[in-house]
């Protein structure tokens, strides 16, 4: 198989060729490995590569699932895998191994997705840019090598945009699927809280804010992946309304009725939104009107945004303390200056000051935002909002080498203003790669749905993809 044919296909397109016998799983894996060695290295998007072992696995693969046997990446997020160690982008946690697979890892494999490497992340997956010291340098955006690929699923987004794989695992606890999807011009859906299981080693991440998913070239690939990984796991602490049908079937059909969609053009606390994201929102609104939907300008519901940013930071810092102290205890050592990046050392020190009362109050703050958002959504089926408040930042601007933890969280809160609030509320949300600047820099809008209604987001996303196709845009780097 030639690279140009491989790069033209989404995951289900590859699966169709596998089913017809026109290509083999080994053919696909060989292309992925070759592109991983070249483009993955140039972008610094991959880690824990297992190229030869994965080629052997592909050679003997038995077709299964919707994707039958196509190349895939697991994020270096600590999702358990017996095949791949993990570091969470940290020198302290380097080469963590697992004795079992995560539930989602198994579901990916059952769907016919064959991982051959992990994708890079910032330290502890706590950055809006992927520039971990552990990885020897930044992960670069294929649309502009001086720009961030986003975070924390930055390596995944860069790899999908560069056509190394058509879809890749991501996770999102504060925008970590949607930020890099917006930066790299790919599709990224964050599912509702409780839709995707996190077992068997844990029940939740970051106070219920985090969830697993994928970034993809096409909406239908995300729909098929969601069909594979969604579904309640016995013992899970959260559940959402049950899925009523196949997500893949939903995206194949136009919505049965027009939806009522709120449009947000302003942010909390008068945070500025740059012209390009506002133009993307207006362009998406025009497309939605043309598709027959009712589009209504509206203001976001009032919330104490600064209090939320503090609560989010408290929950993250508490998790830094748990991760660091657990590793130090297992290693029988004390924390050294070069174990963590400066912002994470600051976050660890801050986390040590957080009392039980502030942690519980922080979780309660998330729940209050969930109630405020769901009350607001009673009038609307969807919200259309900016993805980011500005174009993808240049490398170094949000680095963990700059400033204290709380200062970094404050900067991120003004860049990804419309992201983490939906992790707090638990609502599904997707970054739509509909537009780009004249210079080719991606500019995304975001669709947000009612709790448990991924089907509506996917359905409308597919409509927009048909009205303004984005897969033909491919970076040349």
């Amino acid at each position: 198989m030639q690279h140009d044919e491989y790069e033209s296909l989404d995951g289900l397109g590859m699966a169709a060729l596998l089913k017809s016998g026109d290509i083999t799983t080994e053919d696909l894996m060989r292309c992925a490995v070759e592109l991983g060695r070249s483009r993955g290295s140039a972008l610094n998007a991959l880690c824990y590569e297992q190229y030869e072992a994965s080629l052997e696995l592909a050679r003997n693969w038995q077709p299964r699932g919707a994707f039958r046997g196509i190349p895939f990446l697991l994020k270096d997020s600590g999702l358990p895998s017996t095949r791949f160690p993990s570091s969470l982008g940290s020198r302290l946690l380097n080469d963590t191994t697992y004795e079992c697979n995560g539930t989602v890892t198994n579901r990916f494999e059952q769907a016919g997705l064959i991982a051959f490497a992990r994708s890079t992340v910032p330290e502890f997956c706590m950055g809006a840019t992927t520039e971990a010291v552990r990885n020897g340098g930044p992960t670069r955006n294929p649309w502009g090598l001086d720009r961030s690929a986003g975070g924390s699923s930055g390596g995944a987004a860069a790899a999908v945009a560069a056509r190394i794989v058509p879809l890749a695992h991501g996770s999102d606890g504060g925008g970590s699927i949607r930020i890099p999807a917006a930066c790299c011009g790919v599709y990224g859906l964050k599912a509702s809280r409780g839709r995707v299981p996190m077992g068997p080693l844990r029940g939740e991440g970051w106070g219920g804010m985090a969830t697993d998913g994928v970034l993809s070239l096409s909406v239908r690939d995300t729909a098929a992946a969601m069909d594979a990984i969604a579904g309640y796991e016995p013992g899970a602490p959260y559940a959402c309304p049950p899925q009523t049908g196949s997500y893949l079937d939903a995206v194949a059909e136009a919505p049965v009725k027009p939806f009522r969609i709120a449009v947000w053009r302003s942010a909390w606390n008068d945070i500025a939104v740059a012209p390009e994201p506002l133009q993307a929102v207006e362009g998406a609104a025009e497309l939605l009107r043309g598709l027959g939907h009712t589009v209504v300008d509206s203001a976001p519901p009032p919330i104490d945004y600064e209090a939320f940013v503090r609560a989010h930071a408290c929950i993250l810092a508490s998790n830094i303390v748990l991760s660091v102290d657990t590793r130090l205890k297992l290693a029988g050592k004390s924390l050294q200056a070069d174990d963590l990046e400066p912002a994470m050392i600051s976050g660890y020190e801050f986390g040590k000051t957080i009392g039980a009362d502030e942690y519980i109050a922080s979780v309660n703050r998330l729940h209050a935002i969930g109630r405020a958002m769901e009350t607001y959504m009673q009038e609307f089926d969807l919200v259309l909002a900016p993805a980011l408040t500005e174009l993808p930042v240049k490398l170094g601007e949000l680095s963990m080498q700059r400033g204290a933890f709380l200062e970094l969280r404050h900067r991120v809160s003004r860049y990804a203003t419309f992201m983490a609030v939906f992790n707090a509320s638990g609502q599904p949300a997707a970054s739509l790669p509909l537009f780009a600047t004249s210079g080719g820099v991606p500019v995304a809008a975001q669709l947000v749905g009612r709790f448990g209604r991924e089907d509506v987001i996917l359905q409308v996303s597919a409509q927009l993809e048909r009205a303004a196709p984005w897969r033909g845009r491919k970076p040349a780097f």
Side-chain angles (χ1 to χ4, degrees):
M1 174 177 247
Q2 298 300 310
H3 286 183
D4 57 352
E5 182 184 7
Y6 175 90
E7 294 170 39
S8 71
L9 298 168
D10 69 353
L12 290 176
M14 292 180 182
L17 291 181
L18 286 172
K19 186 174 183 179
S20 68
D22 291 337
I23 56 172
T24 67
T25 296
E26 185 181 1
D27 293 333
L28 293 172
M29 185 61 73
R30 192 166 300 283
C31 284
V33 166
E34 289 167 357
L35 293 172
R37 292 186 192 277
S38 56
R39 296 178 187 176
S41 296
L43 296 170
N44 195 27
L46 307 182
C47 59
Y48 293 115
E49 302 93 330
Q50 293 192 12
Y51 293 143
E52 295 307 318
S54 298
L55 281 167
E56 181 65 22
L57 183 61
R59 198 169 294 125
N60 298 297
W61 185 262
Q62 296 299 311
R64 67 193 70 162
F67 294 100
R68 299 190 65 82
I70 71 169
F72 189 63
L73 299 170
L74 292 179
K75 181 179 175 180
D76 189 17
S77 60
L79 179 67
S81 169
T82 57
R83 292 183 57 220
F84 297 94
S86 184
S87 74
L88 278 83
S90 177
R91 290 163 291 178
L92 179 64
L93 302 186
N94 201 39
D95 297 341
T96 300
T97 58
Y98 304 92
E99 295 181 356
C100 66
N101 283 339
T103 302
V104 168
T105 308
N106 286 332
R107 291 184 181 184
F108 281 139
E109 291 185 359
Q110 291 160 6
L113 297 167
I114 311 173
F116 63 91
R118 287 198 187 261
S119 60
T120 51
V121 300
E123 190 161 36
F124 295 135
C125 296
M126 288 189 186
T129 184
T130 300
E131 303 181 39
V133 172
R134 185 268 170 198
N135 293 324
T139 296
R140 300 183 180 277
N141 190 324
W143 294 98
L145 299 182
D146 61 340
R147 290 189 185 270
S148 168
S152 64
S153 306
V160 173
R163 304 305 197 268
I164 297 170
V165 288
L167 72 162
H169 167 232
S171 58
D172 194 318
S176 287
I177 285 174
R178 292 160 291 147
I179 294 170
C183 289
C184 293
V186 300
Y187 185 72
L189 171 73
K190 179 197 81 71
S192 299
R193 180 181 293 123
R195 178 66 74 200
V196 179
M198 303 194 76
L201 301 183
R202 62 176 182 165
E204 68 166 33
W206 296 359
M209 288 188 290
T211 186
D212 288 290
V214 298
L215 301 91
S216 63
L217 292 176
S218 67
V219 174
R220 70 174 189 165
D221 276 2
T222 288
M226 284 296 299
D227 279 338
I229 65 175
Y232 181 73
E233 178 182 38
Y238 301 113
C240 62
Q243 183 180 340
T244 57
S246 163
Y247 293 126
L248 188 57
D249 288 346
V251 303
E253 304 168 1
V256 296
K257 64 179 180 64
F259 292 117
R260 182 174 170 82
I261 303 172
V263 179
W264 293 358
R265 304 176 192 274
S266 60
W268 298 278
N269 293 17
D270 295 322
I271 293 171
V273 183
E276 295 89 350
L278 289 176
Q279 290 164 7
V281 167
E282 180 54 37
E286 289 180 9
L287 288 170
L288 290 166
R289 289 189 196 97
L291 291 166
H293 299 291
T294 300
V295 178
V296 180
D297 281 353
S298 179
I303 62 172
D304 189 336
Y305 187 68
E306 285 302 321
F308 163 67
V309 172
R310 170 81 183 195
H312 191 198
C314 286
I315 291 168
L316 295 187
S318 298
N319 278 270
I320 294 172
V321 171
L322 177 63
S323 296
V324 170
D325 284 353
T326 300
R327 185 57 171 245
L328 294 176
K329 183 177 180 179
L330 287 172
K333 58 174 281 189
S334 59
L335 186 64
Q336 304 300 307
D338 62 351
D339 281 335
L340 302 174
E341 297 180 48
M344 290 295 100
I345 292 175
S346 173
Y348 177 76
E349 293 169 347
F350 170 57
K352 287 288 192 179
T353 71
I354 297 169
D357 56 344
E358 185 167 16
Y359 182 84
I360 293 169
S362 297
V363 173
N364 288 340
R365 177 72 59 182
L366 308 186
H367 298 167
I369 288 175
R371 284 187 285 272
M373 291 294 182
E374 277 297 296
T375 299
Y376 173 85
M377 291 295 294
Q378 296 309 303
E379 294 186 40
F380 303 103
D381 299 295
L382 293 164
V383 168
L384 174 67
L388 301 171
T389 61
E390 57 185 283
L391 293 177
V393 296
K394 295 297 182 71
L395 291 169
E397 290 187 22
L398 295 174
S399 167
M400 290 187 187
Q401 302 298 308
R402 294 181 57 193
F405 178 76
L406 287 177
E407 293 173 3
L408 176 63
R409 297 314 312 168
H410 182 73
R411 292 202 303 274
V412 170
S413 77
R414 301 184 70 84
Y415 174 58
T417 307
F418 300 98
M419 294 289 179
V421 290
F422 300 116
N423 297 85
S425 69
Q427 292 166 257
S431 180
L432 298 161
L434 289 167
F435 304 104
T437 68
S438 59
V441 179
V443 188
Q446 183 178 200
L447 273 183
V448 183
R450 292 178 178 176
F451 184 65
R453 295 310 304 266
E454 290 87 352
D455 58 329
V456 174
I457 290 179
L458 288 163
Q459 208 169 44
V460 175
S461 296
Q463 273 195 313
L464 289 167
E465 183 183 28
R466 288 190 287 267
W470 56 71
R471 243 173 70 203
R473 295 200 303 267
K474 189 170 79 169
F477 68 98

